[in-house]
Amino acid sequence: MESLIHFLLGPQLAEEILGDLEEESLLRGSNWRRRQLLLSVLPLLGLRLRHFHIEERILLASGLFLLPVRAIDLLWAFVLSQVPLKVDLIRPTDHLLFTLALALACAFVCSLYRQGMGIWLGVAALIALGTIPAQLPLWYWLLLPALCFAVVKAVDSRRRTS
Amino acid sequence: MKILKYASLGFAGILFTAVAILFILANREGANKMSVSIEINKSPTELWPWLEEPEKIKQWVGWVVEIKPLTPGKQGVGAKAHWVMEDRNNGGARVEMDDEVIEYVPLKKIVTRLAASESFTGESSFVVEDLGGKSRLTSTGRYDFGSPFVKLLTTLVMSSAGDKLKEDMMRLKGLVEKR
């Protein structure tokens, strides 16, 4: 835990803060110190990521977009693999429309959190499309990245005007 | 952080709603059944071999690799076969199942019981009606799934199974009418 705090704060600041915690823990006990360290990790991680916007965008695009989109496709693949007399390696249109709606919702959440996500989500959408092992129709290949990009642009422009 | 909290709550809400809807749908009467009916411009005599000869069945049921009779020479009730299918949605895995004829009326009806170990059990039937030089073929299927998770997904699985059955039946129609 302490080495993570060192990584997140840098050696100098970590030394000072851990020293203060050490002193305080003489009065409050080691459980209090451990809790303080645990509670500090997430906010410090957030702070660290804010200093590196690109890293944050990659994290958002992969965690809040690519991961759910691929997860839902894995679920569809599982559903299709359970069909008693097996089916083709395709994704029916209703499955694709559901995934598209989910992807747009994810794109919306990502763009609320950070602006300028358009390119990142476009790339994440192409990665998702490229890694789905099924024949996908052309309209889906075009719509998924384009609509995600459009959602991000719409949220960004609304943010600018307000 | 607030947005992430709301997003997580929203996601949990959507997930809960989806599971509740799937649960209700999966527990409807007939949720695990499907039925498809088509008219074929050939008599029942010309259609019938396509419903019981392994080499012919392989031509119209998609993704069948092999049908091996387990009771060679036996026709009708009690005849058993071992099916091997390829599952392209599971990395091309081979899926094996056994079927046994439990009802047999030549040129009219054939009902089989299907079982794939731990995955599902079910019944599949073909009913042929003579329309005077033409036939109406009705296929019905009922499946019970072993895993609770797949039971929850019954509606989605059966919807895809119904689409597959329609495709297979249209392929059968094409093959029978071509002869």
Side-chain angles (χ1 to χ4, degrees), chain A residues 63-120:
Chain A
L64 278 183
F65 182 85
L66 186 58
L67 203 68
V69 170
R70 283 301 283 118
I72 201 76
D73 186 74
L74 280 175
L75 178 69
W76 291 139
F78 177 75
V79 166
L80 294 174
S81 76
Q82 296 304 312
V83 173
L85 297 179
K86 304 304 160 194
V87 292
D88 294 348
L89 193 59
I90 50 151
R91 297 286 181 271
T93 308
D94 44 357
H95 290 198
L96 293 180
L97 290 175
F98 183 87
T99 310
L100 193 62
L102 174 90
L104 294 184
C106 292
F108 182 70
V109 172
C110 286
S111 57
L112 281 181
Y113 194 66
R114 167 82 35 225
Q115 61 181 349
M117 289 293 298
I119 294 291
W120 298 100

Side-chain angles (χ1 to χ4, degrees), chain B residues 1 16 45 59 65 101 128-129 149 173:
Chain B
M1 281 299 158
F16 179 77
T45 322
Q59 289 178 51
V65 178
V101 178
V128 182
E129 290 169 70
F149 184 54
K173 180 180 163 74

Side-chain angles (χ1 to χ4, degrees), chain A residues 42-43 46 50 60 64 68 75-92 94-95 98 102 109 112-113 133-135, chain B residues 1 3-4 7 61-63 83 85-90 95 97 114 119-120 143 145 149-150 153 156-161 163-164 167-168 171:
Chain A
L42 267 184
R50 276 195 191 93
L60 275 174
L64 278 183
L75 178 69
W76 291 139
F78 177 75
V79 166
L80 294 174
S81 76
Q82 296 304 312
V83 173
L85 297 179
K86 304 304 160 194
V87 292
D88 294 348
L89 193 59
I90 50 151
R91 297 286 181 271
D94 44 357
H95 290 198
F98 183 87
L102 174 90
V109 172
L112 281 181
Y113 194 66
Q135 299 150 12
Chain B
M1 281 299 158
I3 287 170
L4 278 183
V61 179
W63 303 113
W83 289 48
M85 304 197 77
E86 187 187 347
D87 186 2
R88 296 291 304 279
N89 286 287
N90 191 15
V95 178
M97 60 184 179
L114 299 163
S119 173
F120 71 87
Y143 298 101
F145 300 98
F149 184 54
V150 182
L153 300 172
L156 300 174
V157 174
M158 290 309 288
S159 152
S160 296
D163 292 343
K164 159 76 173 4
E167 271 172 40
D168 283 347
R171 200 178 298 126

Side-chain angles (χ1 to χ4, degrees), chain B residues 1-178:
Chain B
M1 281 299 158
K2 220 177 217 179
I3 287 170
L4 278 183
K5 189 177 149 193
Y6 290 139
S8 313
L9 282 174
F11 178 72
I14 290 170
L15 195 67
F16 179 77
T17 313
V19 170
I21 291 172
L22 284 173
F23 182 79
I24 292 166
L25 289 176
N27 284 289
R28 278 177 316 155
E29 205 185 313
N32 64 343
K33 290 180 188 157
M34 60 181 179
S35 181
V36 175
S37 187
I38 55 161
E39 229 175 80
I40 294 175
N41 294 321
K42 291 283 181 182
S43 68
T45 322
E46 288 164 289
L47 168 63
W48 192 254
W50 291 89
L51 304 178
E52 59 173 0
E53 289 177 19
E55 281 312 308
K56 285 194 161 63
I57 293 172
K58 272 166 68 178
Q59 289 178 51
W60 65 273
V61 179
W63 303 113
V64 178
V65 178
E66 190 188 351
I67 302 175
K68 190 177 164 192
L70 297 176
T71 48
K74 184 166 185 170
Q75 250 186 342
V77 176
K80 292 178 184 174
H82 184 71
W83 289 48
V84 180
M85 304 197 77
E86 187 187 347
D87 186 2
R88 296 291 304 279
N89 286 287
N90 191 15
R94 283 162 74 91
V95 178
E96 306 197 9
M97 60 184 179
D98 292 309
D99 84 349
E100 181 183 357
V101 178
I102 54 170
E103 211 180 321
Y104 186 83
V105 183
L107 303 181
K108 284 195 174 145
K109 189 177 188 183
I110 182 164
V111 183
T112 55
R113 189 185 293 131
L114 299 163
S117 57
E118 291 175 16
S119 173
F120 71 87
T121 56
E123 270 181 31
S124 165
S125 76
F126 289 103
V127 176
V128 182
E129 290 169 70
D130 190 350
L131 303 176
K134 291 199 275 186
S135 315
R136 181 187 308 284
L137 174 65
T138 305
S139 173
T140 50
R142 181 190 58 73
Y143 298 101
D144 295 309
F145 300 98
S147 133
F149 184 54
V150 182
K151 267 184 198 157
L152 183 70
L153 300 172
T154 296
T155 312
L156 300 174
V157 174
M158 290 309 288
S159 152
S160 296
D163 292 343
K164 159 76 173 4
L165 182 61
K166 268 181 223 155
E167 271 172 40
D168 283 347
M169 299 266 277
M170 291 314 289
R171 200 178 298 126
L172 170 67
K173 180 180 163 74
L175 283 165
V176 177
E177 290 180 355
K178 207 165 71 182

